[in-house]
């Protein structure tokens, strides 16, 4: 049987759906095992950790032949000591998070008083943001507070987020914001 | 969590309260089930009969917001019936400490209350010290001013009748839970608590947890396998993001954010470095300057020098006595005080308490940057319900980011395990990892500040160390190594020679003179010359489930913290079946003559407190090494709302008085005063107690899950759950459309009329409770309902300022 790359996604998608409805008494085993064979034959496997709750379940992500291509399946890692292969409903559906046509794929900008988004380039977006930050910060910067104590801060800009980021990104974010003088620095842990 | 997921299996009794673990942390339940297979008991206490309750050996309900009354009753039961672990309590906790005469408690108020400022003077709650400055103790626990006697007196009021009248829990159910759980006070038995936002999101959130911590200490359940105080943290990396302190009040590694009153690094270090005169106290925070200086070296690299106080004054300072928390910042945004807002992987228009206040505030900003995987209620607030885009000036930048499988880096789970994730796929189209967005934005800012001769105070930005990319891409390994820390010159520490550029093997080697860097001392030991510890994958084959070579755990790979309290004074485990650590040094003539601990990484490697012959050792330290006195705090004088817990009603409550005191709500609860901060207690317009919760199929505000077909099919829309009795009273049928409204907002929902809620009898009157999930929002799906946080109040805990979204008042009517 010749299977195109597109068929792959359809089949592996159906495989995971099969797992989800098995509790309803439907027997999708033959279909499922066929799909798994395809996955084993071609996929590259990469371990990861689930992005939802803080149980920290291990995942195996299967991608297409070219390696870091597109996700074709995500399942629980049987070698992981916490979940031993198991996943909840959200974890089992993870491939739909990454392969999702509704994702944002390009920076977008909403101008003052505009009723719509417009697509913009990363360069334009980041330089414009940097200029807005600088303008707001410099105009509001307090070297000293009302008591004359050195504070070197701005209270005109706030940063929230995020516990959805990796540790290394979390460190970067607080460092960048603190270097700008922000004191309004918060995230999910507070709420 | 003081312990970790797998360790739950070692428990003899698991109390799940303030959490629906089976639904919200589903895989945690694997280990609850495993404990039950081994004979452990499960107790579920929840206003609603949940998936967790359905698996429990015993279930009972309490009214939302009355956990302290419930737990205070348990403390009384433990003390009245001698269920506490006496040796543990007397030796390892501060139960033996003598408290100053200035401490008192009267009609719901602790001494030192200032009604005008709504604040306590905590100096009234001090320990009495001897001539050497060491706290006085009565290890027999008989002194009338010792903590043990004071706690007995404090909770003597928490009898079954009063507790039942407040909580609505039947007296016999209270007695049953107390009896079941307090059996874990026996030596060798362990009880654990699994809680989540059901305990934290209250104006008494911290004291809810304090109450349980007191119980765990009285029963000797801290530090042992199958014990501990276990917060089931929500987001995948909320432990890590807290450790790295994306929070106004702390710097990475739980160091304090400097205050305006600390003008120099010396003044700052002096303020936050606790002192002890007790040679038996390790007083670990005595190392504070080593951690703060190493952090500043990571912030500013070579630019941080002794001459410039390592760049201390380049970083912002808080005004003394002012908080800059989530509720404060959205209050300030609503008042029009801010110009710009960054929201990374967050959706405050749906996740924040009193969400409409946040939404209205966003329209007053000049600009907002929203980084997310999908469109959401925050980025698109300007076209949301009730908004007229043509009148909203706010510029919005919506930036697409990668999902977790499209980048490399680590996250830290609730059990403090730092686990490495590899990149599996490329992000779609132009989406970028957040780290890459940050690196690029930082470079742009550095360029602007370098170029502009008139830039305001450019030093911190220009001097910020920002060399964490390789070939222009953010390199998580470089950042992870900096988080661990480096030796910055050739030095010898503790007899070991290190070369410039070596990774620091553990925080015990960090220095306060600028010769080491460490972006987070707590993670020092995670990425060493031996490699990336968080990427390890060796499973434990036998033992109690510590898995010491799987990933890495802070601090210094210690899997169960406070584990030196799991052994007796001679270093032998209380629980022989589940030893966490054990001292196996050589013995000569009844004395230990060599040091050897086996098992988990011990909380400090000193000799045990005593020799096998019972003689005390001088070269040892008390087990609770993070406390200046070395003893766990049964009496907690550092809290904003009292050294013991006390029942107060939520800011919005169904009653006008409560039996314990004339203080109805917490005298130090945080509230706000804009026209959008309305609170209605004991008000006939809003007669029903309400709580928010989660379902298994969605995640937080639903930003990630509402866009997924399978998950949306299983949970397509907002519902409100209510009892059959309330349904009958209001003529609301299962599946009918209703409006749920509070003093702040309203949402439309589908009624789910069930037997899982039952009416409570509170002080003789019938009180109904309802609940609804907070996963929905107007952006998508179109008919899925809006955020339940439109209903919740912006009231907060005085210690943490976490909003009270788990107990507030609503009305329900047919739509």
């Amino acid at each position: 049987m010749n299977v195109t790359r597109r068929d792959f996604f359809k089949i592996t998608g159906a495989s995971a759906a099969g797992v989800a409805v098995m509790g309803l008494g439907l027997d999708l085993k033959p279909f499922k095992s066929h799909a798994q064979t395809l996955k084993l034959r071609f996929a590259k496997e990469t371990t990861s950790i689930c992005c939802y709750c803080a149980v920290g379940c291990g995942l195996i992500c299967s991608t297409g032949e070219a390696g870091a291509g597109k996700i074709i399946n995500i399942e629980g890692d049987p070698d992981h000591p916490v979940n031993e292969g198991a996943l909840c409903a959200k974890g089992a559906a993870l491939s739909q998070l990454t392969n999702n046509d509704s994702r944002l794929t390009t920076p977008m900008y909403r101008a003052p008083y505009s009723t719509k988004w417009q697509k913009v380039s990363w360069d334009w977006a980041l330089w414009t943001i940097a200029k807005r930050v600088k303008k707001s910060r410099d105009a509001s910067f307090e070297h000293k507070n009302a008591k004359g104590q050195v504070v070197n801060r701005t209270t005109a800009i706030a940063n929230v987020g995020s516990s959805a980021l990796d540790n290394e990104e979390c460190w970067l974010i607080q460092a960048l914001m603190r270097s700008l003088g922000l004191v309004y620095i918060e995230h999910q842990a507070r709420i | 969590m003081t312990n970790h997921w797998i360790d739950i299996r070692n428990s003899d009794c698991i109390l799940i309260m303030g959490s629906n673990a089976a639904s919200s942390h589903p895989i945690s339940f694997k280990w609850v089930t495993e404990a039950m297979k081994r004979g452990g008991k499960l107790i579920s206490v929840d206003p609603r009969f949940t998936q967790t309750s359905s698996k429990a050996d015993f279930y009972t309900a309490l009214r939302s917001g009355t956990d302290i009354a419930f737990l205070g009753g348990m403390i009384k039961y433990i003390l009245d019936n001698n269920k506490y672990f006496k040796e543990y309590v007397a030796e390892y906790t501060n139960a033996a400490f003598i408290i100053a005469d200035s401490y008192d408690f009267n009609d719901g108020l602790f001494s030192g209350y200032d009604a005008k400022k709504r604040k306590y003077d905590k100096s009234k709650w001090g320990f009495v010290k001897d001539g050497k400055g060491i706290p006085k103790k009565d290890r027999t626990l008989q002194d009338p001013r010792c903590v043990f006697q004071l706690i007995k007196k404090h909770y003597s009021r928490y009898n079954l009748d009063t507790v039942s009248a407040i909580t609505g829990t039947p007296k016999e159910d209270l007695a049953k839970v107390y009896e079941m759980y307090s059996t874990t006070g026996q030596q060798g038995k362990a009880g654990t608590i699994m809680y989540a936002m059901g305990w934290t999101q209250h104006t008494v959130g911290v004291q809810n947890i304090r109450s349980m911590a007191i119980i765990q200490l009285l029963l000797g359940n801290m530090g042992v396998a199958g014990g501990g105080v276990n917060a089931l943290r929500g987001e995948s990396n909320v432990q890590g993001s807290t450790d790295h302190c994306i929070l106004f009040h702390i710097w990475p590694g739980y160091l304090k954010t400097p205050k305006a009153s600390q003008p120099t690094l010396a003044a700052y270090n002096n303020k936050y470095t606790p002192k002890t005169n007790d040679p038996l106290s390790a007083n670990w925070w005595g190392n504070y300057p080593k951690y703060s200086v190493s952090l500043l070296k990571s912030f500013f690299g070579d630019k941080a020098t002794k001459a410039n106080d390592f760049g201390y004054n380049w970083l912002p300072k808080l005004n003394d006595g002012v908080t800059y928390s989530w509720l404060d910042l959205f209050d300030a945004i609503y008042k029009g005080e801010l110009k710009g807002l960054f929201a990374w992987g967050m959706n405050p228009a749906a996740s924040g308490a009193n969400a409409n206040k946040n939404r209205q505030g966003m329209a007053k900003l000049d600009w907002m940057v929203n980084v997310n995987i999908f469109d959401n209620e925050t980025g698109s607030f300007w076209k949301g319900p009730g908004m007229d885009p043509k009148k909203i000036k706010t510029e919005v930048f919506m930036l697409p980011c990668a999902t977790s499988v499209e980048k490399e880096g680590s996250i830290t789970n609730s059990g403090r395990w730092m686990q490495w994730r590899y990149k599996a796929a490329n992000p779609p189209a132009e989406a970028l990892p957040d780290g890459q967005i940050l690196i690029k934005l930082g470079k742009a800012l550095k360029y602007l500040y370098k170029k502009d001769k008139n830039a305001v105070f450019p030093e911190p930005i220009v001097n910020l160390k920002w060399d964490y990319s390789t070939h222009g891409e953010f390199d998580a390994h470089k950042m992870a190594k900096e988080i661990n820390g480096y030796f910055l010159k050739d030095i010898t520490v503790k007899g070991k020679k290190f070369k410039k550029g070596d990774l620091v093997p553990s925080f015990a080697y960090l220095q306060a003179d600028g010769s080491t860097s460490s972006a987070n001392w707590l993670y020092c030991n995670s990425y060493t010359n031996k490699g990336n510890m968080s990427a390890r994958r060796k499973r434990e084959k036998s033992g109690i489930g510590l898995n010491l070579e799987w990933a890495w755990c802070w601090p210094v790979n210690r899997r169960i913290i406070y584990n030196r309290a799991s052994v007796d004074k001679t270093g032998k485990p209380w629980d022989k079946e589940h030893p966490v650590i054990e001292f196996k040094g050589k013995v000569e003539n009844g004395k230990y003559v060599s040091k050897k601990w086996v098992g988990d990484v011990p909380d400090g490697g000193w000799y045990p407190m005593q020799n096998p012959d019972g003689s005390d050792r001088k070269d040892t330290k008390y087990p609770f090494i993070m406390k200046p006195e070395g003893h766990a705090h049964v009496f907690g004088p550092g809290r904003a709302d009292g050294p013991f817990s006390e029942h107060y009603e939520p800011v919005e409550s169904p009653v006008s008085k409560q039996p314990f005191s004339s203080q109805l709500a917490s005298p130090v609860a945080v509230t706000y005063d804009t026209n959008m901060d309305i609170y209605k207690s004991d008000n006939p317009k809003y007669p029903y107690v309400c709580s928010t919760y989660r379902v298994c199929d969605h995640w937080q505000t639903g930003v990630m899950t509402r866009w997924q077909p399978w998950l949306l099919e299983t949970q397509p829309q907002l519902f409100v759950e209510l009892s059959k009795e309330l349904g009958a009273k209001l003529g609301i049928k299962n599946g009918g459309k209703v409006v749920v409204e509070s003093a702040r907002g309203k949402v439309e929902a589908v009624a789910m009329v069930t037997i899982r809620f039952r009416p409570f009898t509170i002080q003789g009157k019938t009180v109904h409770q309802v609940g609804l999930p907070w996963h929905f929002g107007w952006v998508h799906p179109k008919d899925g309902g809006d955020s339940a946080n439109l209903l919740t109040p912006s009231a907060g805990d005085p210690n943490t300022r976490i909003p009270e979204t788990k107990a507030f008042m609503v009305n329900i009517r047919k739509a």
Side-chain angles (χ1 to χ4, degrees), chain B residues 492-514:
Chain B
T492 301
V493 187
K494 302 186 179 198
K496 282 192 186 171
K497 279 188 181 170
F498 297 98
K499 284 216 157 22
K500 179 179 175 178
D502 279 349
L503 288 155
V504 180
S506 92
F507 52 65
Y509 295 92
L510 293 176
Q511 300 297 308
D513 62 0

Side-chain angles (χ1 to χ4, degrees), chain B residues 123-406:
Chain B
S123 70
K124 303 280 183 202
W125 313 332
F127 303 125
V128 176
K129 295 186 175 171
D130 65 15
K132 290 182 194 154
I134 300 172
K136 277 191 183 174
K137 306 171 193 80
D138 171 21
R139 300 274 192 205
T140 70
L141 309 179
Q142 297 304 309
D143 188 298
R145 290 299 292 177
C146 82
V147 167
F148 187 77
Q149 295 300 327
L150 294 177
I151 197 173
K152 262 190 163 171
K153 187 177 164 201
H154 185 81
Y155 293 101
S156 63
R157 301 164 295 134
Y158 286 67
N159 57 59
L160 293 180
D161 286 316
T162 315
V163 170
S164 177
I166 291 169
T167 59
T169 312
K171 280 196 284 180
E172 55 277 18
D173 284 12
L174 291 169
K176 177 72 179 165
V177 172
Y178 299 166
E179 187 273 321
M180 278 178 81
Y181 196 75
S182 61
T183 56
T184 64
Q186 296 166 49
Q187 180 180 335
K189 295 283 179 199
T192 196
I193 170 66
M194 294 166 70
Y195 73 91
M197 311 318 266
W199 268 5
T200 56
Q201 290 176 340
H202 292 279
T203 46
V204 293
V206 164
Q207 295 290 358
N208 283 337
I209 295 145
R210 278 276 305 147
S211 306
M212 193 67 207
I214 291 170
I215 290 170
Q216 291 297 71
L217 289 169
L218 291 175
L219 298 174
N221 281 333
M222 295 306 294
V224 304
V229 170
N230 293 308
L232 312 191
R233 305 219 54 187
E235 302 252 353
S236 60
N237 194 34
V238 70
Q239 187 60 57
S241 59
T242 308
D243 301 335
H244 294 303
C245 300
I246 310 177
L247 291 162
F248 86 88
H249 69 300
I250 37 180
W251 276 1
Y254 301 93
L255 304 178
K256 310 284 187 194
T257 307
K259 301 262 171 69
S261 59
Q262 295 139 16
T264 61
L265 179 60
Y268 166 79
N269 279 334
N270 188 48
K271 171 79 182 171
Y272 298 119
T273 308
K275 280 112 200 140
T276 177
N277 291 329
D278 191 338
L280 293 182
S281 178
N283 186 30
W284 199 267
W285 279 115
N287 294 304
Y288 196 98
K290 297 174 186 171
Y291 308 152
S292 61
V293 172
S294 296
L295 170 63
L296 288 167
K297 288 299 292 181
S298 289
F299 261 111
F300 300 117
D302 294 340
K303 297 294 186 331
T305 63
K306 205 167 180 185
N308 66 16
D309 247 2
F310 299 103
Y312 170 75
N313 269 319
W314 289 336
L315 290 167
K317 293 180 181 56
L318 311 177
N319 272 2
D320 292 74
V322 178
T323 55
Y324 302 81
S325 73
W326 177 275
L327 288 175
D328 300 307
L329 84 84
F330 278 102
D331 192 59
I333 287 176
Y334 180 71
K335 288 172 176 163
E337 293 170 10
L338 274 82
K339 302 289 182 202
L341 171 70
F342 283 96
W344 306 76
M346 278 208 86
N347 186 13
S351 66
N354 199 2
N356 202 24
K357 182 180 173 185
N358 298 356
R359 293 178 184 185
Q360 299 300 322
M362 286 170 191
K364 299 179 184 178
L365 294 165
D366 286 352
W367 54 267
M368 176 204 286
V369 179
N370 185 218
V371 187
N372 220 308
I373 301 170
F374 295 99
D375 187 11
N376 58 77
E377 287 72 22
T378 298
S380 288
F381 81 92
W382 46 274
K383 53 176 173 172
M387 296 281 180
D388 179 358
K390 292 190 180 114
K391 289 184 183 155
I392 295 172
K393 64 174 176 175
T394 317
E395 279 185 294
V396 184
F397 303 83
M398 179 102 90
L399 307 180
C401 64
T403 65
S404 60
V405 298
E406 296 159 350

Side-chain angles (χ1 to χ4, degrees), chain B residues 639-661:
Chain B
R639 303 282 68 80
D641 41 3
F644 292 133
S645 59
E646 172 70 2
H647 168 73
Y648 303 108
E649 288 291 322
V651 163
E652 285 193 337
S653 148
V655 298
S656 56
K657 57 184 175 43
Q658 59 115 338
F660 280 141
S661 73

Side-chain angles (χ1 to χ4, degrees), chain B residues 7 32 139 155 449 487-488 538 547 605 613 631 710 761 785:
Chain B
D7 182 64
V32 175
R139 300 274 192 205
Y155 293 101
Y449 275 89
F487 288 101
L488 303 174
K538 192 171 168 191
N547 283 285
D613 64 8
H631 290 67
W710 296 341
T761 303

Side-chain angles (χ1 to χ4, degrees), chain A residues 13 16-17 46-57 61 63 68-69 71 77-84 86-90 92-93 96-98 100 102-110 112-117 122 124 126-134 136-138 141 143 145 149-153 155-191, chain B residues 5-6 26-27 30-31 197 201 233-238 240-242 244-252 260 299 313 316-319 324-326 329 332 338-346 367 372-374 379 382 389-390 392-398 400-401 403-410 412-414 419 421-422 424-426 428-430 432 434-435 437 447 449 452 456-457 460-461 474 476 479 519 537 539 550 696 698-699 707-710 800 802-803:
Chain A
T46 308
T47 60
S48 189
I49 304 294
C50 182
C51 60
Y52 294 114
C53 83
V55 171
C57 295
C61 307
T63 40
I71 296 284
D77 179 354
D79 294 328
H80 195 283
V82 173
N83 61 312
E84 297 180 327
L87 289 176
C88 74
K90 292 184 296 297
Q96 287 199 343
L97 174 71
T98 50
N100 194 309
S102 301
R103 280 183 68 172
L104 299 171
T105 53
T106 172
M108 295 198 295
Y109 173 69
R110 185 260 175 183
Y113 310 108
S114 170
T115 55
K116 60 181 194 305
W117 289 111
W122 270 110
W124 183 87
L126 289 174
W127 281 108
T128 310
I129 293 166
K131 284 179 205 157
R132 299 290 185 272
V133 170
K134 185 169 184 296
S136 299
R137 174 192 179 271
D138 289 1
F141 202 79
H143 292 283
N145 65 9
Q149 296 164 315
V150 174
V151 290
N152 287 331
R153 70 182 177 213
T155 50
I157 306 173
N159 180 88
V160 296
S162 170
S163 54
L165 304 187
D166 291 349
N167 282 317
E168 295 72 25
E169 295 170 329
C170 289
W171 200 89
L172 280 183
I173 213 166
Q174 65 81 34
L176 183 61
M177 297 304 158
R178 290 193 155 110
S179 80
L180 290 167
L182 267 68
V183 287
Y184 284 128
I185 299 175
E186 289 280 275
H187 80 291
Q188 286 95 333
R190 186 79 65 190
I191 58 173
Chain B
W5 297 114
I6 298 168
I27 305 302
K30 180 184 175 69
W31 301 104
M197 311 318 266
Q201 290 176 340
R233 305 219 54 187
E235 302 252 353
S236 60
N237 194 34
V238 70
S241 59
T242 308
H244 294 303
C245 300
I246 310 177
L247 291 162
F248 86 88
H249 69 300
I250 37 180
W251 276 1
F299 261 111
N313 269 319
K317 293 180 181 56
L318 311 177
N319 272 2
Y324 302 81
S325 73
W326 177 275
L329 84 84
L338 274 82
K339 302 289 182 202
L341 171 70
F342 283 96
W344 306 76
M346 278 208 86
W367 54 267
N372 220 308
I373 301 170
F374 295 99
W382 46 274
K390 292 190 180 114
I392 295 172
K393 64 174 176 175
T394 317
E395 279 185 294
V396 184
F397 303 83
M398 179 102 90
C401 64
T403 65
S404 60
V405 298
E406 296 159 350
K407 61 185 179 184
E408 186 173 21
S410 71
T412 304
N413 78 2
S414 196
Q419 303 191 89
R421 303 197 280 211
Y422 297 92
N426 289 318
E430 293 182 42
L432 289 177
D434 296 79
I437 300 171
Y447 177 85
Y449 275 89
D452 179 6
V456 176
F457 201 55
I461 303 159
F474 172 57
M479 188 70 244
R537 283 179 63 88
R539 283 190 70 171
W550 183 279
C696 181
H698 281 294
W699 182 242
W707 299 91
Q708 298 181 40
W710 296 341
T800 61
I802 289 177

